[in-house]
Amino acid sequence: MLSLSAHSMGAIPCVLSEKATDPAQQVVSENFLGDLKDLDTLKAFIQHVDVLTFESEFIDCDLLEKAAGRNTKKIHPSIAAARLLQDRKTQKELLDVAKIPTAPWLLVHDAKAVADAADYLSYPFVLKKRRNGYDGYGTYIFKTKKDLEKWNTKDLSDPHGFIAEKFIPFKRELACIFTRDQKGHVLQFPLVESLQKDARCYWIKGPIQHPQFLTWSKKFSQLLKKINYVGTMGVELFESKDQLIVNELAPRVHNTGHYSSNSLPMSQFDAHLRAVSGMSLPNGSFSHEGFAMVNLLGSEKAPKPQWISPTDAVVHWYGKTENRTGRKMGHINAIGSSPNVALKRAMSALKGFKL
Ligand SMILES: Nc1ncnc2c1ncn2[C@@H]1O[C@H](COP(=O)(O)OP(=O)(O)OP(=O)(O)O)[C@@H](O)[C@H]1O
Ligand SMILES: [Mg+2]
């Protein structure tokens, strides 16, 4: 989606990934196939492009820094910001220092520390991999002591370690996209509600009104300034007793912002590309009556997914070659006179899919 945006903005998108069948490789003419963990591959790619960005935070920041040498200024968000946010420990510290509410947490290294964390946080509590977690892989919720006893502590062997955090009894999950340009303008996208099923985003709808959001987002913009963040960031939130509590930050375009391609004057992808390539963003926020997005989650049952293209919603199909259970294969965007009308439209389009 970033590549498609870049093309329509008049740029020439170049993609570095491992396989020619990767979704982004399918839509660009400048294909660089290679290992993102290989120094020479990274060096050659960085030298070839004017601006470099990433759509996954699972990058090796040390290697990227080494490969970039004097070219680190081409990279947005900066390697420093990526490094800070890709690790839950430093991300949590950043939020705590900025006094932006997030679930209380502590670092855990071994089974004893997990048991101590359970005593300190009390049940239920959550264990999360410090790095490389996604779609719930690397997140474990322990409702009772029995859950913890049943848990295989071998999972603790992840080299980057874990944090334990308090379970937040949320009313609903919310999310918001922010994009900050190089001059410091912050474009704030509408607040949305997201429904997660099996720790995966199932749908989002918006805009959502929340009495604390304006004050909260001003404070959050200050955090973006502090780390001189450039580009789009996804913020996942819990609404609990009318409080906004940060679940996690993602230094990239985000699934909960995909709706923006078909409902706002500027999508999160366009905004990101404008920011990273030095163009300005409008300062402020966008609004729309109602919009929704439903993820198309795969299943092994349909090796060849089929669908009837809806007439009143927009399908974004990623072209992933392997259909796996729960894998994000595409999404549907819809608009309407309210968030619920838009969601109904997107859900009705979903019925035409055999996935
Ligand atoms: N502290 C918490 N309290 C209550 N529920 C939680 C907590 N942390 C995580 N969850 C639930 O687990 C889901 C997945 O957790 P989290 O967002 O941390 O994992 P992830 O794998 O990084 O997800 P993503 O794919 O969004 O990157 C959340 O959306 C939420 O439903
Ligand atoms: Mg999440």
Side-chain angles (χ1 to χ4, degrees), residues 254-275:
H254 194 255
N255 195 183
T256 60
H258 287 3
Y259 69 87
S260 57
S261 304
N262 302 104
S263 55
L264 298 181
M266 192 184 284
S267 72
Q268 63 163 346
F269 309 103
D270 291 345
H272 181 75
L273 291 166
R274 289 184 71 94

Side-chain angles (χ1 to χ4, degrees), residues 28-323:
V28 298
S29 55
E30 299 230 359
N31 311 90
F32 288 74
L33 298 183
D35 183 358
L36 273 86
K37 294 195 179 78
D38 180 68
L39 183 66
D40 292 333
T41 304
L42 279 177
K43 263 189 193 164
F45 187 68
I46 296 168
Q47 264 161 25
H48 182 77
V49 297
D50 298 314
V51 176
L52 183 132
T53 192
F54 42 88
E55 54 128 49
S56 158
E57 67 272 40
F58 306 154
I59 45 170
D60 183 334
C61 289
D62 293 341
L63 193 71
L64 190 60
E65 195 159 44
K66 206 167 160 193
R70 288 203 206 125
N71 286 321
T72 48
K73 286 206 171 86
K74 284 185 183 179
I75 305 175
H76 301 288
S78 68
I79 297 174
R83 191 180 272 128
L84 201 60
L85 295 166
Q86 70 178 186
D87 183 338
R88 289 193 192 274
K89 174 182 175 275
T90 44
Q91 186 181 119
K92 284 282 206 182
E93 285 167 349
L94 181 73
L95 290 163
D96 287 346
V97 169
K99 296 197 165 49
I100 293 177
T102 181
W105 65 284
L106 56 155
L107 213 51
V108 288
H109 302 282
D110 53 25
K112 162 91 175 59
V114 175
D116 290 348
D119 286 343
Y120 176 73
L121 299 167
S122 75
Y123 290 92
F125 78 97
V126 189
L127 206 58
K128 292 184 180 184
K129 258 165 72 167
R130 271 174 64 178
R131 286 180 54 178
N132 303 346
Y134 74 100
D135 284 352
Y137 299 112
T139 294
Y140 306 86
I141 298 179
F142 299 103
K143 292 199 177 114
T144 60
K145 200 171 177 181
K146 269 205 176 129
D147 284 349
L148 184 59
E149 283 161 4
K150 272 191 272 167
W151 188 61
N152 188 351
T153 46
K154 255 198 263 157
D155 287 349
L156 266 177
S157 61
D158 185 84
H160 302 294
F162 280 76
I163 63 159
E165 70 176 30
K166 207 171 175 57
F167 182 87
I168 304 295
F170 56 83
K171 269 200 258 178
R172 53 186 176 170
E173 290 189 70
L174 303 174
C176 183
I177 299 293
F178 288 81
T179 312
R180 185 172 181 272
D181 70 19
Q182 294 177 24
K183 293 198 191 86
H185 302 133
V186 176
L187 178 62
Q188 178 203 306
F189 286 71
L191 187 63
V192 304
E193 176 180 350
S194 80
L195 182 81
Q196 314 281 319
K197 265 193 188 173
D198 300 326
R200 251 174 222 95
C201 177
Y202 183 49
W203 56 247
I204 70 96
K205 66 176 179 180
I208 298 295
Q209 309 303 329
H210 192 283
Q212 311 239 324
F213 186 54
L214 195 63
T215 318
W216 181 91
S217 61
K218 276 191 189 142
K219 211 167 175 187
F220 190 74
S221 297
Q222 288 305 311
L223 179 144
L224 296 178
K225 184 178 175 189
K226 188 177 158 195
I227 59 171
N228 196 15
Y229 190 82
V230 171
T232 289
M233 185 187 289
V235 183
E236 296 179 16
L237 296 154
F238 298 124
E239 182 187 27
S240 178
K241 296 188 193 118
D242 293 333
Q243 278 270 102
L244 293 174
I245 298 172
V246 172
N247 172 20
E248 58 173 347
L249 311 177
R252 54 173 162 80
V253 289
H254 194 255
N255 195 183
T256 60
H258 287 3
Y259 69 87
S260 57
S261 304
N262 302 104
S263 55
L264 298 181
M266 192 184 284
S267 72
Q268 63 163 346
F269 309 103
D270 291 345
H272 181 75
L273 291 166
R274 289 184 71 94
V276 300
S277 54
M279 287 184 246
S280 312
L281 289 173
N283 221 354
S285 56
F286 289 137
S287 66
H288 192 281
E289 285 175 307
F291 53 80
M293 184 240 27
V294 178
N295 272 327
L296 293 164
L297 301 173
S299 87
E300 267 107 40
K301 279 183 261 160
K304 258 200 161 180
Q306 288 178 331
W307 67 89
I308 304 156
S309 258
T311 50
D312 56 356
V314 185
V315 175
H316 295 259
W317 187 252
Y318 307 155
K320 291 181 180 173
T321 45
E322 199 188 335
N323 185 10

